[in-house]
Amino acid sequence: MKSDIPTQHDILVVRQIIGNQVHRTPVLTNTTLNQMSGSHLFFKCENLQKGGAFKFRGASHALLTLPNEDRQRGVATHSSGNHAQALSLAARMQGVKAHIVMPENAPKIKVDAVKAYGGEITFCKPTLADRESTLKEVIARTGATEIHPYNDYRIIAGQATAAAELFEQTHQLDYLVTPVGGGGLLSGSILSARYFSPKTKVFGAEPERANDAWESFQKKKLIPVKHPNTIADGLRTSLGTLTFPIIRDGAEDILTTSEDSIIEAMRLIWERMKIVVEPSAAVPLAAIFDRPELFRGKRTGIILSGGNADLNRLPWLESTYFSNH
Amino acid sequence: MKSDIPTQHDILVVRQIIGNQVHRTPVLTNTTLNQMSGSHLFFKCENLQKGGAFKFRGASHALLTLPNEDRQRGVATHSSGNHAQALSLAARMQGVKAHIVMPENAPKIKVDAVKAYGGEITFCKPTLADRESTLKEVIARTGATEIHPYNDYRIIAGQATAAAELFEQTHQLDYLVTPVGGGGLLSGSILSARYFSPKTKVFGAEPERANDAWESFQKKKLIPVKHPNTIADGLRTSLGTLTFPIIRDGAEDILTTSEDSIIEAMRLIWERMKIVVEPSAAVPLAAIFDRPELFRGKRTGIILSGGNADLNRLPWLESTYFSNH
């Protein structure tokens, strides 16, 4: 699996491997949101996953299949987001050290979360170049195994298990919509639909302000995002060389949405569903509200990707959210 | 059941009656909160119930068993809280009119919620006397049937179904802790424990600033609260003549807790469990954190009573919350 697109059998095996460690998260429905969207919505609550996001699935898989000879030297990644937390937590649960490279300007709340899960942080300058060079240094020094947040088939196969569960938990879905940043969740969901629910069409949803997946999908060519400036901090990354081909060949479409729509959808999920989701997780619902004609009458799955929101600032209360961000 | 304490058979029948209308809410667990409390906590998520609170159970039961000859004239209650919303929603789902008497100074968010569920609001002066006299006028004018928020065995039996489900969804619980305001949820939970899980000891939890249940339980005499001034707005009411005897005879103890503890527990539930709960729902966890010696090593159920929090003000951000309230 390290070198090939995960097969149906691979994903079934991954479910066995991680089954005792990850939550089988609930699927919630909401009458009001159904009425507002005109669609029958099924929300797969990965915000209730351990570590607060679907990222724990891929990270757990990578850790549980880490060769014994590599365990002592630990794992490493650069991330300031949910992957860093998920990898730290999954590593700690198996007694492995996690080295996390984070930019020195990362929000304190994210630094604290990684520390709370036992991750060992190395700070770097806030540029991609410095993140990558610092990660190389850490790996050279420790011998740790790099676990990339999405451009890794072990991770993609892990993330695929969320959609695989959703298909078991619901009757036939017409559509499935997931957020798309680096593409691990979307590409995994496309694979699970292909193997376990082939009539379900899979859409990616992303912010207009970080629309590299849309552009890459349109032009059938990997085009990284240039200046992502969106509240959906989990979706500021660009597709990877492994995730893009799966998305190019298997996605029904990539749907973009505005910052205002994202904030409004996030507020509605909190208010109506009584669950905490981060902005990235609200992007699919925002995209659905933007396109009532497309989703009307359809049975539509949504993966609520995570719940690691900052509880000290609520975007719908902050007119200046973006300038401060 | 209108005139006698609900029996085991009654509660089983109620579960059949309301089973298609209420959500069987999930039970969540959280490793971090287990570690922090030293207890094994099982959270019954009635914040995810329709209408956002357990109140929908009792209201549904009252509506579904309303005699045909009374349906045309509707139902009525005075409430500015979750019962008003639950009754409005349950009534609308069955094509019955709900008359809700609310104080003219009720928060706009609550007025809007009742309106959104189709309740017909009659405003009154913000005194208990005026609420009661206005309700009498409404009933005299419309012929509506009064549905009291808690001092009614039909309501108590409906609320009892939450604990009955929890006992099915978990292995043997040592303890169950519920918030206590008017006592509908606590008395119903005591009955369900007696019938379905007799080894489980049931505690009520309430704010120190509205400690009438504690005082009544200590003195074995119904003593209404005088000046409740707590953020837990659902718990400002006093026990009723029907709920008190069940609590007096069946509760293990009443636990009180401070405003600071309530706010901290509420924040922890949002942050760690990724769910939205209102202050009242956080009172049991606050009381448990206050008493680590009592709960250590115990399997403890908690009923998260509701999620109708005001998303425009977060108590942990407002040092002046109480003076404004």
Side-chain angles (χ1 to χ4, degrees), chain A residues 25-29 33-34 37 39-47 162-163 166-167 169-170 173 175-179 185 189 200-203 205 255 265 269 273 275 277 280-289 295 298-306:
Chain A
T25 52
V27 175
L28 298 182
T29 60
L33 296 182
N34 285 349
S37 66
S39 191
H40 304 285
L41 304 175
F42 299 87
F43 295 89
K44 176 68 170 166
C45 292
E46 288 296 297
N47 59 322
L166 173 60
F167 295 134
Q169 291 167 301
T170 53
L173 294 176
Y175 293 157
L176 172 62
V177 191
T178 85
L185 180 63
S189 298
T200 304
K201 294 174 178 171
V202 183
F203 296 81
L255 312 174
I269 293 169
M273 299 184 65
I275 55 177
V277 294
S280 301
V283 172
L285 183 63
I288 290 167
F289 279 137
F295 288 94
K298 301 295 182 184
R299 294 171 57 83
T300 306
I302 289 175
I303 298 185
L304 291 175
S305 49

Side-chain angles (χ1 to χ4, degrees), chain A residues 6-315:
Chain A
T7 64
Q8 179 172 28
H9 179 257
D10 287 334
I11 293 173
L12 289 169
V13 170
V14 175
R15 290 192 64 184
Q16 293 295 319
I17 291 171
I18 68 175
N20 287 331
Q21 187 151 304
V22 306
H23 284 314
R24 182 182 169 95
T25 52
V27 175
L28 298 182
T29 60
N30 186 275
T31 307
T32 305
L33 296 182
N34 285 349
Q35 287 167 350
M36 290 177 70
S37 66
S39 191
H40 304 285
L41 304 175
F42 299 87
F43 295 89
K44 176 68 170 166
C45 292
E46 288 296 297
N47 59 322
L48 306 181
Q49 188 53 262
K50 289 182 189 169
F54 75 90
K55 296 278 187 181
F56 184 71
R57 295 176 180 270
S60 282
H61 179 224
L63 263 295
L64 284 161
T65 54
L66 192 68
N68 265 330
E69 60 268 28
D70 296 334
R71 297 176 71 83
Q72 279 241 294
R73 292 191 296 276
V75 292
T77 198
H78 66 80
S79 163
S80 60
N82 286 333
H83 176 62
Q85 296 183 41
L87 193 68
S88 300
L89 177 59
R92 189 180 65 185
M93 287 169 73
Q94 292 166 52
V96 172
K97 197 169 274 189
H99 302 278
I100 311 293
V101 174
M102 295 182 90
E104 59 199 12
N105 66 348
K108 182 172 181 301
I109 191 170
K110 300 202 165 182
V111 175
D112 289 346
V114 168
K115 280 186 188 163
Y117 288 130
E120 298 221 346
I121 300 175
T122 305
F123 288 103
C124 67
K125 296 213 171 65
T127 65
L128 183 60
D130 205 63
R131 284 164 69 146
E132 287 178 346
S133 65
T134 305
L135 179 60
K136 273 191 189 152
E137 285 166 27
V138 168
I139 289 172
R141 176 165 49 82
T142 60
T145 301
E146 180 180 358
I147 309 289
H148 192 276
Y150 51 87
N151 212 36
D152 179 321
Y153 286 132
R154 293 167 299 181
I155 297 294
I156 293 170
Q159 321 305 33
T161 61
E165 283 180 17
L166 173 60
F167 295 134
E168 273 183 7
Q169 291 167 301
T170 53
H171 296 289
Q172 180 67 50
L173 294 176
D174 300 305
Y175 293 157
L176 172 62
V177 191
T178 85
V180 54
L185 180 63
L186 177 56
S187 61
S189 298
I190 287 169
L191 296 178
S192 276
R194 182 180 302 162
Y195 303 141
F196 307 114
S197 185
K199 289 183 181 163
T200 304
K201 294 174 178 171
V202 183
F203 296 81
E206 73 179 352
E208 288 165 3
R209 291 192 184 183
N211 67 348
D212 67 293
W214 177 83
E215 199 176 357
S216 301
F217 185 76
Q218 295 296 321
K219 302 194 175 155
K220 300 196 180 304
K221 190 182 141 193
L222 188 54
I223 301 170
V225 66
K226 287 196 191 71
H227 303 290
N229 177 25
T230 170
I231 188 176
D233 55 327
L235 308 183
R236 290 179 195 147
T237 45
S238 299
L239 295 181
T241 52
L242 301 185
T243 57
F244 172 61
I246 300 172
I247 292 167
R248 179 194 62 205
D249 299 342
E252 179 69 13
D253 203 353
I254 306 294
L255 312 174
T256 62
T257 188
S258 69
E259 300 294 298
D260 282 350
S261 291
I262 295 167
I263 292 171
E264 174 63 9
M266 178 180 171
R267 193 183 61 76
L268 278 168
I269 293 169
W270 288 43
E271 179 182 294
R272 294 290 161 173
M273 299 184 65
K274 310 301 180 192
I275 55 177
V276 173
V277 294
E278 59 192 74
S280 301
V283 172
L285 183 63
I288 290 167
F289 279 137
D290 288 347
R291 294 165 183 81
E293 72 296 341
L294 178 59
F295 288 94
R296 186 167 295 125
K298 301 295 182 184
R299 294 171 57 83
T300 306
I302 289 175
I303 298 185
L304 291 175
S305 49
N308 294 323
D310 183 348
L311 293 180
N312 290 322
R313 44 192 317 197
L314 299 178

Side-chain angles (χ1 to χ4, degrees), chain B:
Chain B
M1 189 184 312
K2 264 180 120 161
S3 56
D4 281 313
I5 290 180
T7 64
Q8 179 173 29
H9 179 256
D10 288 333
I11 293 173
L12 289 169
V13 169
V14 174
R15 290 193 63 184
Q16 293 295 318
I17 292 172
I18 68 174
N20 287 330
Q21 188 152 301
V22 306
H23 284 315
R24 182 180 168 94
T25 53
V27 175
L28 297 182
T29 60
N30 186 276
T31 307
T32 305
L33 296 182
N34 285 349
Q35 287 167 350
M36 290 177 69
S37 67
S39 190
H40 302 286
L41 304 175
F42 299 86
F43 295 88
K44 175 70 170 164
C45 293
E46 288 296 296
N47 58 323
L48 305 181
Q49 188 52 263
K50 288 181 189 173
F54 74 90
K55 295 278 186 180
F56 184 71
R57 295 177 179 270
S60 281
H61 179 225
L63 263 295
L64 284 161
T65 54
L66 192 68
N68 265 329
E69 60 269 28
D70 296 334
R71 297 176 73 83
Q72 279 241 293
R73 292 190 297 275
V75 293
T77 198
H78 66 79
S79 163
S80 61
N82 286 333
H83 177 62
Q85 295 184 43
L87 193 68
S88 300
L89 177 59
R92 188 180 67 183
M93 287 169 73
Q94 293 166 53
V96 171
K97 198 169 273 187
H99 302 277
I100 311 293
V101 173
M102 294 182 90
E104 58 199 11
N105 65 351
K108 183 173 179 302
I109 192 170
K110 300 202 165 180
V111 175
D112 289 347
V114 168
K115 280 186 188 163
Y117 287 130
E120 297 221 348
I121 300 175
T122 304
F123 288 102
C124 67
K125 296 214 172 65
T127 66
L128 184 59
D130 205 64
R131 283 164 70 145
E132 288 178 346
S133 65
T134 306
L135 178 60
K136 273 189 190 153
E137 285 165 27
V138 168
I139 289 172
R141 175 164 51 80
T142 60
T145 302
E146 181 181 356
I147 309 289
H148 191 278
Y150 50 87
N151 211 39
D152 179 322
Y153 286 130
R154 293 168 300 181
I155 296 293
I156 293 169
Q159 320 306 32
T161 61
E165 284 180 15
L166 172 60
F167 295 134
E168 274 183 7
Q169 291 167 302
T170 53
H171 296 289
Q172 180 67 48
L173 294 177
D174 299 304
Y175 294 157
L176 172 62
V177 190
T178 85
V180 54
L185 180 63
L186 177 56
S187 60
S189 298
I190 287 169
L191 296 178
S192 276
R194 182 180 302 160
Y195 303 141
F196 307 115
S197 186
K199 290 184 181 163
T200 304
K201 294 175 179 172
V202 183
F203 295 82
E206 72 180 354
E208 286 165 3
R209 291 193 184 183
N211 67 347
D212 67 294
W214 176 82
E215 198 176 357
S216 301
F217 185 77
Q218 296 297 322
K219 301 192 175 155
K220 301 196 180 303
K221 190 182 141 194
L222 188 53
I223 301 170
V225 65
K226 286 195 192 73
H227 303 291
N229 176 25
T230 169
I231 189 176
D233 55 327
L235 308 183
R236 291 179 195 148
T237 45
S238 298
L239 294 181
T241 52
L242 301 186
T243 57
F244 171 61
I246 299 172
I247 292 167
R248 179 195 61 206
D249 298 343
E252 179 70 13
D253 203 354
I254 306 294
L255 312 174
T256 62
T257 188
S258 70
E259 299 295 298
D260 282 349
S261 292
I262 295 168
I263 292 171
E264 174 64 7
M266 178 180 171
R267 193 183 60 76
L268 278 168
I269 293 169
W270 288 43
E271 179 182 294
R272 293 290 160 174
M273 299 182 67
K274 312 299 181 191
I275 55 176
V276 172
V277 293
E278 60 192 76
S280 301
V283 171
L285 183 64
I288 289 167
F289 278 136
D290 287 348
R291 295 165 182 79
E293 71 296 341
L294 178 58
F295 288 94
R296 186 167 296 128
K298 300 294 183 184
R299 294 170 58 83
T300 306
I302 290 176
I303 298 186
L304 291 175
S305 49
N308 293 323
D310 183 347
L311 293 180
N312 290 321
R313 45 194 315 198
L314 299 178
W316 49 87
L317 297 183
E318 301 192 24
S319 56
T320 57
Y321 197 94
F322 300 108
S323 52
N324 291 339
H325 211 73

